[in-house]
mmCIF file of all heavy atoms in Angstrom:
data_model
loop_
_atom_site.group_PDB
_atom_site.id
_atom_site.type_symbol
_atom_site.label_atom_id
_atom_site.label_comp_id
_atom_site.label_asym_id
_atom_site.label_seq_id
_atom_site.Cartn_x
_atom_site.Cartn_y
_atom_site.Cartn_z
ATOM 1 N N SER A 182 -0.589 11.064 18.265
ATOM 2 C CA SER A 182 0.670 11.380 17.581
ATOM 3 C C SER A 182 1.345 10.046 17.263
ATOM 4 O O SER A 182 0.920 9.017 17.738
ATOM 5 C CB SER A 182 1.579 12.191 18.481
ATOM 6 O OG SER A 182 1.922 11.356 19.652
ATOM 7 N N ILE A 183 2.420 10.150 16.395
ATOM 8 C CA ILE A 183 3.104 8.984 16.060
ATOM 9 C C ILE A 183 3.692 8.269 17.344
ATOM 10 O O ILE A 183 3.629 7.140 17.600
ATOM 11 C CB ILE A 183 4.276 9.245 15.028
ATOM 12 C CG1 ILE A 183 3.604 9.809 13.744
ATOM 13 C CG2 ILE A 183 5.126 8.021 14.790
ATOM 14 C CD1 ILE A 183 4.677 10.383 12.744
ATOM 15 N N ALA A 184 4.295 9.173 18.185
ATOM 16 C CA ALA A 184 4.953 8.637 19.407
ATOM 17 C C ALA A 184 3.840 7.909 20.334
ATOM 18 O O ALA A 184 4.094 6.793 20.810
ATOM 19 C CB ALA A 184 5.593 9.740 20.172
ATOM 20 N N ASP A 185 2.678 8.542 20.427
ATOM 21 C CA ASP A 185 1.634 7.954 21.250
ATOM 22 C C ASP A 185 1.062 6.635 20.645
ATOM 23 O O ASP A 185 0.803 5.705 21.333
ATOM 24 C CB ASP A 185 0.502 8.890 21.466
ATOM 25 C CG ASP A 185 0.842 10.062 22.414
ATOM 26 O OD1 ASP A 185 1.850 9.911 23.067
ATOM 27 O OD2 ASP A 185 0.045 10.979 22.496
ATOM 28 N N SER A 186 1.129 6.616 19.257
ATOM 29 C CA SER A 186 0.636 5.354 18.627
ATOM 30 C C SER A 186 1.606 4.227 18.917
ATOM 31 O O SER A 186 1.147 3.081 19.174
ATOM 32 C CB SER A 186 0.449 5.623 17.101
ATOM 33 O OG SER A 186 1.656 5.620 16.430
ATOM 34 N N LEU A 187 2.877 4.551 18.915
ATOM 35 C CA LEU A 187 3.903 3.481 19.189
ATOM 36 C C LEU A 187 3.731 3.012 20.656
ATOM 37 O O LEU A 187 3.775 1.785 20.955
ATOM 38 C CB LEU A 187 5.308 3.971 18.898
ATOM 39 C CG LEU A 187 5.549 4.330 17.443
ATOM 40 C CD1 LEU A 187 6.916 4.946 17.299
ATOM 41 C CD2 LEU A 187 5.488 3.068 16.497
ATOM 42 N N ALA A 188 3.412 3.999 21.525
ATOM 43 C CA ALA A 188 3.271 3.561 22.945
ATOM 44 C C ALA A 188 2.019 2.672 23.069
ATOM 45 O O ALA A 188 1.948 1.715 23.857
ATOM 46 C CB ALA A 188 3.122 4.799 23.786
ATOM 47 N N ARG A 189 1.015 2.991 22.282
ATOM 48 C CA ARG A 189 -0.237 2.196 22.275
ATOM 49 C C ARG A 189 -0.034 0.798 21.731
ATOM 50 O O ARG A 189 -0.742 -0.126 22.116
ATOM 51 C CB ARG A 189 -1.208 2.955 21.385
ATOM 52 C CG ARG A 189 -2.697 2.782 21.686
ATOM 53 C CD ARG A 189 -3.517 3.557 20.721
ATOM 54 N NE ARG A 189 -4.024 4.814 21.225
ATOM 55 C CZ ARG A 189 -4.780 5.602 20.507
ATOM 56 N NH1 ARG A 189 -5.032 5.376 19.232
ATOM 57 N NH2 ARG A 189 -5.181 6.768 20.991
ATOM 58 N N PHE A 190 0.822 0.686 20.735
ATOM 59 C CA PHE A 190 1.094 -0.631 20.142
ATOM 60 C C PHE A 190 1.960 -1.505 21.023
ATOM 61 O O PHE A 190 1.955 -2.746 20.844
ATOM 62 C CB PHE A 190 1.826 -0.429 18.822
ATOM 63 C CG PHE A 190 1.087 0.316 17.755
ATOM 64 C CD1 PHE A 190 1.790 1.068 16.774
ATOM 65 C CD2 PHE A 190 -0.309 0.352 17.742
ATOM 66 C CE1 PHE A 190 1.067 1.826 15.826
ATOM 67 C CE2 PHE A 190 -1.027 1.098 16.777
ATOM 68 C CZ PHE A 190 -0.309 1.880 15.877
ATOM 69 N N ALA A 191 2.773 -0.878 21.968
ATOM 70 C CA ALA A 191 3.670 -1.719 22.761
ATOM 71 C C ALA A 191 2.956 -2.863 23.481
ATOM 72 O O ALA A 191 3.313 -4.037 23.403
ATOM 73 C CB ALA A 191 4.409 -0.855 23.740
ATOM 74 N N PRO A 192 1.819 -2.563 24.183
ATOM 75 C CA PRO A 192 1.131 -3.698 24.818
ATOM 76 C C PRO A 192 0.546 -4.711 23.849
ATOM 77 O O PRO A 192 0.420 -5.883 24.192
ATOM 78 C CB PRO A 192 0.041 -3.042 25.712
ATOM 79 C CG PRO A 192 -0.035 -1.589 25.279
ATOM 80 C CD PRO A 192 1.233 -1.265 24.641
ATOM 81 N N VAL A 193 0.149 -4.253 22.664
ATOM 82 C CA VAL A 193 -0.334 -5.170 21.607
ATOM 83 C C VAL A 193 0.757 -6.150 21.246
ATOM 84 O O VAL A 193 0.544 -7.359 21.201
ATOM 85 C CB VAL A 193 -0.815 -4.431 20.380
ATOM 86 C CG1 VAL A 193 -1.233 -5.365 19.262
ATOM 87 C CG2 VAL A 193 -2.017 -3.474 20.745
ATOM 88 N N LEU A 194 1.960 -5.569 21.014
ATOM 89 C CA LEU A 194 3.100 -6.478 20.622
ATOM 90 C C LEU A 194 3.485 -7.387 21.789
ATOM 91 O O LEU A 194 3.826 -8.579 21.537
ATOM 92 C CB LEU A 194 4.253 -5.621 20.167
ATOM 93 C CG LEU A 194 3.938 -5.185 18.701
ATOM 94 C CD1 LEU A 194 4.430 -3.779 18.407
ATOM 95 C CD2 LEU A 194 4.646 -6.200 17.738
ATOM 96 N N ALA A 195 3.423 -6.911 23.021
ATOM 97 C CA ALA A 195 3.745 -7.821 24.135
ATOM 98 C C ALA A 195 2.721 -8.874 24.253
ATOM 99 O O ALA A 195 3.100 -10.092 24.451
ATOM 100 C CB ALA A 195 3.737 -6.942 25.385
ATOM 101 N N ALA A 196 1.434 -8.600 24.105
ATOM 102 C CA ALA A 196 0.457 -9.577 24.259
ATOM 103 C C ALA A 196 0.519 -10.590 23.099
ATOM 104 O O ALA A 196 0.352 -11.828 23.207
ATOM 105 C CB ALA A 196 -1.013 -8.960 24.210
ATOM 106 N N ALA A 197 0.841 -10.081 21.904
ATOM 107 C CA ALA A 197 0.913 -10.939 20.712
ATOM 108 C C ALA A 197 2.073 -11.935 20.913
ATOM 109 O O ALA A 197 1.963 -13.140 20.655
ATOM 110 C CB ALA A 197 1.219 -10.069 19.505
ATOM 111 N N ARG A 198 3.211 -11.405 21.462
ATOM 112 C CA ARG A 198 4.364 -12.309 21.705
ATOM 113 C C ARG A 198 3.978 -13.437 22.671
ATOM 114 O O ARG A 198 4.250 -14.592 22.457
ATOM 115 C CB ARG A 198 5.513 -11.502 22.300
ATOM 116 C CG ARG A 198 6.867 -12.098 22.134
ATOM 117 C CD ARG A 198 7.987 -11.136 22.591
ATOM 118 N NE ARG A 198 7.962 -9.832 21.911
ATOM 119 C CZ ARG A 198 7.804 -8.681 22.565
ATOM 120 N NH1 ARG A 198 7.699 -8.643 23.862
ATOM 121 N NH2 ARG A 198 7.711 -7.572 21.845
ATOM 122 N N GLN A 199 3.263 -13.065 23.709
ATOM 123 C CA GLN A 199 2.850 -13.996 24.750
ATOM 124 C C GLN A 199 1.882 -15.090 24.131
ATOM 125 O O GLN A 199 1.966 -16.248 24.494
ATOM 126 C CB GLN A 199 2.065 -13.169 25.822
ATOM 127 C CG GLN A 199 1.870 -13.855 27.114
ATOM 128 C CD GLN A 199 0.867 -13.086 27.934
ATOM 129 O OE1 GLN A 199 0.813 -11.809 27.776
ATOM 130 N NE2 GLN A 199 0.243 -13.731 28.841
ATOM 131 N N HIS A 200 1.144 -14.736 23.141
ATOM 132 C CA HIS A 200 0.173 -15.686 22.549
ATOM 133 C C HIS A 200 0.616 -16.228 21.218
ATOM 134 O O HIS A 200 -0.127 -16.890 20.526
ATOM 135 C CB HIS A 200 -1.212 -14.961 22.323
ATOM 136 C CG HIS A 200 -1.874 -14.597 23.657
ATOM 137 N ND1 HIS A 200 -2.606 -15.540 24.398
ATOM 138 C CD2 HIS A 200 -1.865 -13.405 24.322
ATOM 139 C CE1 HIS A 200 -3.041 -14.977 25.484
ATOM 140 N NE2 HIS A 200 -2.682 -13.733 25.477
ATOM 141 N N GLY A 201 1.898 -15.982 20.835
ATOM 142 C CA GLY A 201 2.436 -16.498 19.581
ATOM 143 C C GLY A 201 1.684 -15.963 18.333
ATOM 144 O O GLY A 201 1.560 -16.688 17.334
ATOM 145 N N VAL A 202 1.268 -14.746 18.418
ATOM 146 C CA VAL A 202 0.525 -14.130 17.267
ATOM 147 C C VAL A 202 1.555 -13.174 16.550
ATOM 148 O O VAL A 202 2.172 -12.384 17.130
ATOM 149 C CB VAL A 202 -0.611 -13.312 17.866
ATOM 150 C CG1 VAL A 202 -1.273 -12.452 16.770
ATOM 151 C CG2 VAL A 202 -1.698 -14.199 18.435
#
Side-chain angles (χ1 to χ4, degrees):
S182 67
I183 297 171
D185 286 349
S186 74
L187 295 172
R189 207 182 257 182
F190 300 151
V193 174
L194 279 141
R198 201 172 307 119
Q199 197 189 334
H200 293 279
V202 170

